[in-house]
Amino acid sequence: MKTKDRTGAMKVIIVGGVAGGASCAARLRRLDEKAEIIMVERGPYVSYANCGLPYHIGGVIEKESSLLVASEKTFREQFAVDCRTSCEAINISPDKKTVELRNVATGEVTTESYDKLVLSPGAASIRPPLPGIDLPGIFQVRTVPDARAICEWIEKGSLFLSGMDKYSGFQTVRPKTRAVVIGGGFIGLETAENLVHRGFDVTLVEMGDQILAPLDPEMARIVEGYVEKHGIRLALNDGVSGFKQAANGALEVQTKSGKAHPADIVILALGVRPDTALAKMAGLEIGERGGIRVDDQMRTSNPDIFAVGDAIEVKDFVTGEWSLVALAGPANRQGRIAADVIAGRDSSFRGTQGTSIIGLFGGAAAWTGASEKTLKRIGDKDYEKIYLYPNSHAGYYPGARPIAMKVLFRKSDGRLLGAQALGEDMVDKRISALAIALQMGATIYDLEEVEMCYAPPFGSAKDPVNFAGMIAADILRDDMPISHWDSVGKGFILDVREPVELAVENVPGAVNIPLGQLRARLGELPRDREILVVCRSGQRAYSATRVLLQNGFKARNISGGMLSRYHAFLLEN
Ligand SMILES: Cc1cc2nc3c(=O)[nH]c(=O)nc-3n(C[C@H](O)[C@H](O)[C@H](O)COP(=O)(O)OP(=O)(O)OC[C@H]3O[C@@H](n4cnc5c(N)ncnc54)[C@H](O)[C@@H]3O)c2cc1C
């Protein structure tokens, strides 16, 4: 067994050399020049950009080498970290404080002692034991070798895949190659988009009733329509039951509903499961969600063993529940925190809000904090929601695009709880701003006052973030009671749009009085009934609601107007 070679120096072993592990190693070296740091990685690369893999498959990131952020050599030379690739930790003896390491190439097993051990083994792709799952042509997107195998399959097999190997001399149209992606999370969708870019005819099969599970369903419906418009065929509510190789060599993805999707390539993106094998061997506490349980300083149930990244359970910042979050940002921060704590600093993890973004065909969907379905699941009734559709920047400056936003906040104190946004321009900026606000414990009254940068190409003097705060604060101050389409029922609906707009789409049974005529026609409205006011986006209805309230009527603005009615329509259909 090797012993400490730096007398008196702390010896730290880090298992896993990518997001959490690599940031832990680099941070620890910056804090402790004397520590002996060994970082072991079972794969061939450390610190690679797995987030870039779908874009490499699509050819957007052309060179595989661009994905390799820092090499084994960088860690050895710049950080004096004993970095070992193709080296797997196979056993931990917490009593002896040792780890057994296996050289993946030679099979040789050595034992190393540690003072502190950090586990950052990540998560394993879910691969259910379905019939035919090991057939050639079925891939997952997890590592650089996975992406390379997919690229090779596509490149080498392109003649075969498209049927051109049987070229008769009379074919004029090259048949499209077909891909079936299984799983509608962000890895599945990003890979599906990239396969569309490579000319594949893509079907995405998803067992759930929506793609992008963290989104509320009415927001996900919009993304679904958008990706379908761009060529991804969605098969929702259908689980895969098995895979078959057809007589012509092509694959067939069979589903529980009895469908068969032909495929030249299949991508499995069924989600991930925390890799807890080593933790279990070491007798560490595993939480109810199946991840390694740690405290807010990333310490496991054994005080000399830390764990970070996809393998651990984290506290949800909004709900306080234990959750599994497989995201690079939290993994990097946790790696850094573990290093801080090992070096004697008092850092702690604040929990995660699951802040995420996915880019698809030029658009983006992003979210932070709790969704409405999460709040409903935990029985939280002290929340309100708003829908708004502001422009990404000043409408008079070319290129402005609407952003569909949903913002959730506490009814009792206005605290921001979560936000979701979809659009084709600057969605990230708004959700990032809201994510910071949420982590700072901001209220919607704070959002009213937030100072965002503004010039016409970048925003509006009232940024969408301010706008969200103003609308929500109007509700809580009782300046603008609101309603939602799902509770409109047989209420009295006043439509304050212009008649020309009604010709495009109207609300059956609604009374139409354009906003400009409202003050003169108040006598046409009932005083004994609540009036639900609608316009296109809620803005004119807000003014109309104010007119009505100040004239003694009972009135509510239907949040998001006709635009949010579209959400309700999508959900019903
Ligand atoms: C295709 C793809 C796209 C993604 N896109 C995004 C994105 O856009 N945004 C985002 O926030 N997140 C994204 N993620 C998720 C993000 O990459 C992970 O959350 C993050 O890498 C987790 O870091 P980690 O250190 O916990 O695990 P990983 O980065 O997965 O690293 C774990 C490493 O540990 C090694 N290992 C495991 N067990 C052992 C052992 N016993 N011995 C030695 N080594 C071991 C593994 O080989 C692996 O390399 C994406 C992930 C994938 C796969």
Side-chain angles (χ1 to χ4, degrees), residues 15-22 40-43 45 48-55 87-90 101 120-123 141-143 186-187 190-191 272 275 278 308-311 325-332 334 355-357:
V15 177
V18 190
V40 299
E41 166 56 52
R42 109 176 118 199
Y45 307 108
Y48 65 88
N50 36 17
C51 308
L53 296 175
Y55 303 95
C87 177
E88 184 178 24
I90 52 168
L101 303 175
S120 187
V141 187
R142 182 94 205 129
T143 62
F186 65 81
I187 296 177
E190 283 174 356
T191 309
V272 294
D275 185 339
L278 278 177
V308 302
D310 290 359
V325 174
L327 287 172
N332 274 274
Q334 291 155 5
T355 308
S356 306
I357 186 161

Side-chain angles (χ1 to χ4, degrees), residues 53-223:
L53 296 175
Y55 303 95
H56 179 52
I57 293 167
V60 181
I61 299 171
E62 284 179 26
K63 288 195 210 135
E64 185 183 283
S65 59
S66 307
L67 298 168
L68 309 175
V69 180
S71 65
E72 190 171 343
K73 188 164 169 271
T74 317
F75 275 95
R76 285 181 182 280
E77 290 178 1
Q78 292 185 18
F79 297 103
V81 167
D82 179 356
C83 177
R84 306 178 193 174
T85 53
S86 302
C87 177
E88 184 178 24
I90 52 168
N91 200 7
I92 302 170
S93 301
D95 300 338
K96 291 189 250 166
K97 293 178 77 171
T98 57
V99 182
E100 277 176 40
L101 303 175
R102 189 175 69 93
N103 181 318
V104 174
T106 64
E108 187 200 355
V109 176
T110 52
T111 304
E112 288 281 355
S113 66
Y114 63 81
D115 295 311
K116 301 287 177 201
L117 175 66
V118 181
L119 302 179
S120 187
S125 299
I126 293 174
R127 199 178 166 87
L130 294 171
I133 197 159
D134 294 322
L135 282 169
I138 302 179
F139 299 91
Q140 61 179 22
V141 187
R142 182 94 205 129
T143 62
V144 174
D146 288 340
R148 190 186 302 148
I150 294 170
C151 292
E152 282 173 5
W153 178 262
I154 294 172
E155 276 147 31
K156 285 194 197 143
S158 64
L159 289 181
F160 153 71
L161 293 176
S162 61
M164 291 301 275
D165 57 331
K166 299 186 185 72
Y167 182 59
S168 64
F170 293 103
Q171 284 154 289
T172 50
V173 180
R174 190 188 173 101
K176 260 198 161 187
T177 38
R178 298 151 304 179
V180 175
V181 176
I182 301 162
F186 65 81
I187 296 177
L189 278 163
E190 283 174 356
T191 309
E193 181 202 14
N194 278 287
L195 289 170
V196 169
H197 291 322
R198 285 197 73 148
F200 276 80
D201 180 52
V202 180
T203 301
L204 187 143
V205 181
E206 163 59 55
M207 193 165 68
D209 59 1
Q210 67 167 80
I211 59 168
L212 294 174
L215 284 178
D216 280 324
E218 75 279 19
M219 303 300 276
R221 289 286 173 270
I222 296 184
V223 187

Side-chain angles (χ1 to χ4, degrees), residues 27 29 135 137 147 165 252 290 295 326 339 406 454 489 507 512 514 535 555 572:
R27 173 74 173 166
R29 172 56 72 227
L135 282 169
D165 57 331
E252 205 174 79
D295 64 13
K406 176 176 183 178
Y454 162 62
V507 185
N512 176 227
C535 66
E572 283 160 18

Side-chain angles (χ1 to χ4, degrees), residues 273-566:
R273 190 175 290 133
D275 185 339
T276 53
L278 278 177
K280 283 180 182 157
M281 269 182 222
L284 303 179
E285 186 187 347
I286 304 294
E288 69 230 26
R289 307 291 311 275
I292 305 171
R293 191 48 77 77
V294 292
D295 64 13
D296 63 358
Q297 296 200 306
M298 319 319 303
R299 229 180 256 105
T300 65
S301 52
N302 181 320
D304 294 317
I305 306 180
F306 293 71
V308 302
D310 290 359
I312 65 166
E313 287 186 3
V314 282
K315 277 270 168 83
D316 183 284
F317 187 80
V318 178
T319 64
E321 287 187 311
W322 288 107
S323 60
L324 296 171
V325 174
L327 287 172
N332 274 274
R333 297 204 306 280
Q334 291 155 5
R336 207 178 139 87
I337 289 167
D340 279 6
V341 175
I342 290 169
R345 299 200 175 190
D346 194 23
S347 303
S348 60
F349 187 62
R350 296 177 178 184
T352 179
Q353 302 149 232
T355 308
S356 306
I357 186 161
I358 177 167
L360 290 166
F361 303 104
W367 57 90
T368 187
S371 61
E372 186 176 7
K373 65 182 173 187
T374 296
L375 295 173
K376 280 186 176 159
R377 178 177 55 76
I378 62 173
D380 188 333
K381 296 198 170 71
D382 181 18
Y383 75 89
E384 183 53 278
K385 61 180 171 185
I386 53 168
Y387 295 97
L388 63 156
Y389 305 87
N391 275 326
S392 55
H393 58 252
Y396 57 80
Y397 186 89
R401 310 289 301 144
I403 302 178
M405 292 174 74
K406 176 176 183 178
V407 177
L408 296 138
F409 52 95
R410 278 240 169 286
K411 272 198 282 202
S412 52
D413 62 6
R415 200 186 131 206
L416 181 62
L417 297 175
Q420 301 165 33
L422 322 170
E424 292 178 320
D425 188 35
M426 291 196 267
V427 164
D428 56 332
K429 165 169 150 177
R430 277 52 193 239
I431 290 296
S432 292
L434 290 168
I436 297 169
L438 200 150
Q439 204 189 65
M440 298 293 125
T443 65
I444 44 114
Y445 307 111
D446 295 314
L447 300 185
E448 287 185 289
E449 298 302 327
V450 161
E451 199 164 289
M452 302 282 289
C453 47
Y454 162 62
F458 304 104
S460 301
K462 267 189 227 136
D463 191 87
V465 172
N466 300 122
F467 218 15
M470 289 168 189
I471 295 171
D474 278 339
I475 295 165
L476 293 193
R477 290 193 190 106
D478 244 359
D479 287 339
M480 187 186 68
I482 58 159
S483 185
H484 298 288
W485 284 107
D486 53 10
S487 57
V488 162
K490 291 196 169 57
F492 183 96
I493 300 178
L494 170 67
D495 192 331
V496 294
R497 293 177 298 157
E498 299 300 318
V500 62
E501 295 173 82
L502 270 59
V504 180
E505 190 189 14
N506 65 13
V507 185
V511 170
N512 176 227
I513 304 180
L515 176 61
Q517 300 173 21
L518 184 61
R519 289 180 184 84
R521 295 175 58 185
L522 290 175
E524 297 173 32
L525 295 171
R527 290 199 172 268
D528 57 342
R529 292 184 71 186
E530 189 168 66
I531 300 170
L532 303 169
V533 192
V534 65
C535 66
R536 182 174 170 275
S537 68
Q539 206 167 357
R540 279 170 289 174
Y542 166 44
S543 299
T545 304
R546 293 298 303 151
V547 171
L548 293 173
L549 290 173
Q550 292 180 72
N551 279 282
F553 290 90
K554 280 182 275 179
R556 287 182 182 274
N557 183 352
I558 302 180
S559 181
M562 294 304 287
L563 292 173
S564 70
R565 186 165 184 256
Y566 181 60

